Amino acid sequence: MLEAKNSLGVIFFPAFDWAIEPTHPEREERLLYTQDQLREEGLFDIEGITEYKPEVATRRDVERVHFCLPSVETVATKSHMISAGGAIRAARLVMEKEADRAFALVRPPGHHAMKIVEGNRGFCNINIEAVMIEWIRENFGQKRVAIIDTDCHHGDGTQDVYWHDRNTLFISLHQDGRTIYPGSGFPDELGGPNALGKTLNVPLPPRTADEGFLYVMDELVLPVLEDFKPDIIINSAGQDNHFTDPITNMNFSAQGYAALNERLKPDIAVLEGGYAIQGALPYVNLGICLAMAGVDYSKVYEPDYHPEKVRQDVRSMDTIKRICEDVRNRYFNPPSTPTDGDVNGQWFTRMKDVFYDTDGIRESQVESVVICPDCSGAVKTEVWSTSNPLSLCVEIPMDACDKCASLGRRAIEEGHTKGNYRIVQAINRKDKEYTQFGF
Amino acid sequence: MYLGIDVGGTHTDAVVVDRRKVRAFSKVVTDHDNLLVSVRAAMEDVLSQVKKDRVERIALSTTLSTNAIVEHKTEEAGVLVSAGPGIDPENYHIGRGYAVIDGSLDHRGFEVKELNRKELQNAAQMFRELGMRVHAAVGKFSVRNPAHEIAMKSAVEADSDHVTMGHRISGMLNFPRRIATAYYNAAVWRLYNKFADAIAQSVDEYGLEASIHVLKADGGTMPLARSRQFPVESILSGPAASVMGIVALCEIHEDALIMDIGGTTTDIAVFAGGAPVLEPRGIEVGSYPTLVRALKTRSIGIGGDSVIKITRTGQVRVGPEREGPSMAQGGEAPTLIDAMNFLKLADFRDRHASARGIERLARLWDMYPDKLARQAVDFAVRSIVDECRDMVDMLNERPVYTIYELLQGRQIEPKKAYVMGGPAAAFQPILKEALDMRVELPPDFQVANAIGAALTRTTAELELFADTEKELLHVPALSIEHPIPRGYSQDAAEDDLRKLMAAYLDELGLPGTREYKDEVEIVESNAFNMVDLFGGAFRNIRVKAQLRPGILD
């Protein structure tokens, strides 16, 4: 009988009764063939690999992370709460040492959901990884967390959630934003003034294959992790880099995904995108499960896999090497101030426009963070959109110093007294207070 | 009248039941080297007590296949496997003749790669040289398209007395289990068929005009004819017989625990809403997981004859070892039943011998004998109760795949327990207190297993897959493949499967269309949209029907 070297918990929740629309790529069928493959392979008969059902995330779990406008209930359906709950279950297994590693094979995904949420962007409503990470921190203390996002699309939501957090390293590997949604994720996006270099972006040329991805792992990701010394490594495991994916242009294979995982050794992986539901997901998910469990995956390949057909060209490799070198330098020698905003006294301010492609909402934000050498800094954001009038969102981070905590509290008070906000919402991680005023 | 025979590890029991009343009963010692002798002796004994021409049905549970597997007395079977990409099929290597043939199907049953004819011929040659006369042919995803298994079968058919094809065993997905199940089925085929011949002959000799059925582990029976093709389904049917016996003796409508406390082990089963809970994937045999459908039962090494041990730190433990009989029965070491005798909880054979044993052990460890006995009983009860709770928790933790099920998911909360087996009467009051629920001791509990065998009805399970893009419908277990129209619906699939099930039961010689038609239930039914790159939308439909375990009137 096969035996896992690392015990692995798999939370498999295909949400067979939820879809954005019947023919949308993110639909019921998405994990159907993965389920078939995992069952047919007898994955859960391997000693040490166990299947678990998800928990249901609570409103409080979401409120810890997101400013949901106008409320958690309006932006997150039951399916989103279960998907996030699946990620929490994965974290619980690992944190409570029931499993060495865990993989949340759940849908819908979450990595395009930003700090402020008014609707669905890129098939995501709430950021299931962030909900999971903050659940960990709530229950197990402030941990140093590294998130490696291997989805083909830039993890702009996760980037936004952790933009100012100096205790979270976020590295996104993705197809160059000039050629694909959401159009962001370039090396100069490095994080806010207190967390410069804790956000890293690796835009890869279209048709990057196994060789390129594994080069980035070896030459960039692993050395940076070595330096950052995270307590927990999370793989935001989007699988749309696959050579058969219908909505992307990359050449990654099941073997490549498994090898990447073997090198990265994530404690927790959470499924993100991946829409080649017949030709890729069953094999990629199987490969990742086996790699995480430390079981031989050498015979896992796609039926139409011909390495020579998906080999990347030499020029791509040159580009990839150049990008890696650039991003590496930016991590080890980050600039002293960001270039995407202005300093106003002790606050650093930038403007943002966000488009919710699925729901068609246009949103504008003025975001200010306290420039602080001691903590991640209090953040206040004024936000207005085609869906909700001007509102104020204030966050006091978990590691807030006294000064930032009091500046944050003052911002909340001022929001009430100045009065022209429809909603004033606060996430006070330091005192565990989550409040919302307005309607 | 129904005749039931249960071939157990120690005894072979037979009963004749008429309108749920036991008319005759017999118990003989099981002769493991010749099960037929025990079966015939028990049968003869009960038949002499009744009007045998009124016996219309005979059902027996037998350990024949199980023992052959456990004792490695099976015939060598040649195994042909077609796998394709995935976990390396060499991991499931079983037996001396195991050949992996290049070729593969995908999860929808499309052929990705043709079977390699040359390799197939070489394998057939190898089996010939090894002198193998029974074979198994198993393909990955064969339940979605049996073409490769059929091709593999025809490659060895000429040299074979029997070929088991994986897709005929179960419609469930699980390639490694399918390999093990098909292998065992082929390996016990000849032995089992000889036994079946002898049983049929005996029934003839007694002049009985009864149909013959064989018990399965899922709490149902199958007609003898089917068991000849699928003997592996007769394995581990013992616990199912006792569980079905309880069903026959008691009216269970709610969530409940069943505990069968024997000499060596305690078997636990769980009922949800009056129906026994089935193992979702299949039973394990000789350390190989299989696709043989079974009731969910757990066995712990605690029974009346479990020996009492004291750890270095002075903790009193019971089981899981057994070192001969209890001292009350002339054994050497004090057992759980001796402790119960000592505490006057039981009155079994020689109570003085029990007391001597407990007192001697207590002296050895400088303990009070009543305290030692009490701790031994407490330990046993606690172990049983913990195991029950753990089993219920596990069942409630079972994965589900839809939002509806997760949020509406019914939790199993047993409020009542049924206890049977030798020491059951002594355990009843203690368990009542420990479990804090009603604990019932069914009448005739000592022969519940044979009653279960007598009254257990046929069970069957069929799975249907329809793919409107391929315009095909499959029922793997029956080797049925039908064309369907593009607009084929989930409702139509459910209707078709009900009809197929009734016809299948008719074919087995059971009143399928006449009596069982309304009892066929759809247990799973799903339809998924499949959208191709050109915007075409098709349906992938999966329906599963069963005739669930039940009792004859």
Side-chain angles (χ1 to χ4, degrees), chain A residues 29 36 40-41 45 53, chain B residues 140-141 175 177 529 542:
Chain A
E29 187 194 0
D36 286 351
E40 180 70 347
E41 298 288 351
D45 287 333
K53 71 178 174 188
Chain B
K140 195 180 277 181
F141 288 113
F175 181 57
R177 284 176 184 252
N529 279 346
R542 294 141 180 230

Side-chain angles (χ1 to χ4, degrees), chain B residues 215-231:
Chain B
L215 254 83
K216 301 190 289 179
D218 70 352
T221 60
M222 57 181 160
L224 188 70
R226 179 176 166 86
S227 75
R228 285 168 171 277
Q229 283 301 305
F230 300 98

Side-chain angles (χ1 to χ4, degrees), chain B residues 251-267:
Chain B
E251 297 275 327
I252 304 179
H253 299 293
E254 67 274 88
D255 294 352
L257 296 168
I258 310 287
M259 285 165 276
D260 184 355
I261 308 175
T264 325
T265 59
T266 295
D267 295 328

Side-chain angles (χ1 to χ4, degrees), chain A residues 11 54 82-92 104 106 128-129 132 268 270:
Chain A
I11 295 84
I82 296 171
S83 185
I88 289 176
R89 184 78 180 104
R92 189 191 293 281
V106 295
I128 61 175
E129 272 109 359
M132 171 184 87
I268 306 164
V270 178

Side-chain angles (χ1 to χ4, degrees), chain A residues 2 12 14-17 27 29 32-33 36 39-41 44-45 51 53 79 82 278 299 301 303, chain B residues 85-87 91 107-108 140-141 144 174-175 177-178 281 396 401 403-404 528-531 542:
Chain A
L2 281 168
F12 183 78
F16 280 149
D17 48 355
R27 64 178 179 273
E29 187 194 0
L32 182 62
Y33 307 109
D36 286 351
R39 283 190 172 168
E40 180 70 347
E41 298 288 351
F44 301 114
D45 287 333
E51 186 181 6
K53 71 178 174 188
S79 56
I82 296 171
Q278 279 196 50
K299 298 266 165 90
Y301 47 87
Chain B
I87 294 173
N91 287 302
H107 31 72
R108 277 180 64 194
K140 195 180 277 181
F141 288 113
R144 297 289 158 79
N174 195 317
F175 181 57
R177 284 176 184 252
R178 196 177 307 124
R281 281 184 274 177
N396 286 331
Y401 303 111
I403 296 159
Y404 179 81
F528 301 94
N529 279 346
M530 298 185 289
V531 185
R542 294 141 180 230

